[in-house]
Amino acid sequence: MDNETLQRTLGEVARAARERLGLTQVQVARQAGIAPAVYGRIERGGMMPAVPTLRKLALVLSISADLLLDIGTTQVAPSLETPVPGGDLTPELLQIVRTLRGWPPGKTRLMARVVKTIDTAPPDEG
């Protein structure tokens, strides 16, 4: 997700959470310790808050920061006690997986074909 889309999404979620609580922008801004104009810009998707402000907003709005950042439960571990995905993979494989996660679908499909071709090739005789 690009920064502009993230800002817009964060603003939409913040607005919905504020309205759910029946608060005004001024009330949320004061409770979070920021200027009302700044909070208004955040809600309109015009600015990304700093991490400490994001934390305050999550607390004031009574929602998880995951919601504000549009992070789904399938994308991250629910706690630090959760086993690491791919914990049995070698460091090299983990690096490959991390790299592939950032690729667009077309590039990933191409890499899958390359891997399949390599996998089906006869073993080296060297």
Side-chain angles (χ1 to χ4, degrees):
M1 173 181 300
D2 63 57
N3 287 342
E4 191 174 301
T5 303
L6 178 58
Q7 281 181 203
R8 218 175 22 255
T9 300
L10 187 146
E12 291 167 3
V13 172
R15 181 181 308 110
R18 175 182 60 78
E19 290 173 349
R20 177 181 63 101
L21 296 172
L23 298 173
T24 66
Q25 286 186 351
V26 172
Q27 290 170 318
V28 172
R30 283 189 181 141
Q31 289 180 39
I34 59 177
V38 170
Y39 180 73
R41 284 184 58 205
I42 291 170
E43 265 198 18
R44 289 188 301 279
M47 88 178 278
M48 181 64 69
V51 172
T53 302
L54 181 67
R55 182 179 188 282
K56 289 177 192 175
L57 288 175
L59 293 170
V60 170
L61 296 170
S62 299
I63 60 173
S64 167
D66 290 355
L67 288 173
L68 288 168
L69 296 172
D70 195 29
I71 298 174
T73 56
T74 60
Q75 296 171 299
V76 295
S79 74
L80 291 175
E81 288 76 37
T82 304
V84 176
D88 58 339
L89 299 178
T90 65
E92 294 83 5
L93 282 174
L94 281 172
Q95 181 60 45
I96 290 168
V97 169
R98 281 189 212 105
T99 301
L100 292 174
R101 282 188 179 141
W103 285 11
K107 196 172 177 181
T108 306
R109 281 190 297 274
L110 179 61
M111 178 54 77
R113 290 197 317 238
V114 169
V115 170
K116 186 175 181 180
T117 301
I118 293 170
D119 191 45
T120 58
D124 286 342
E125 307 235 354

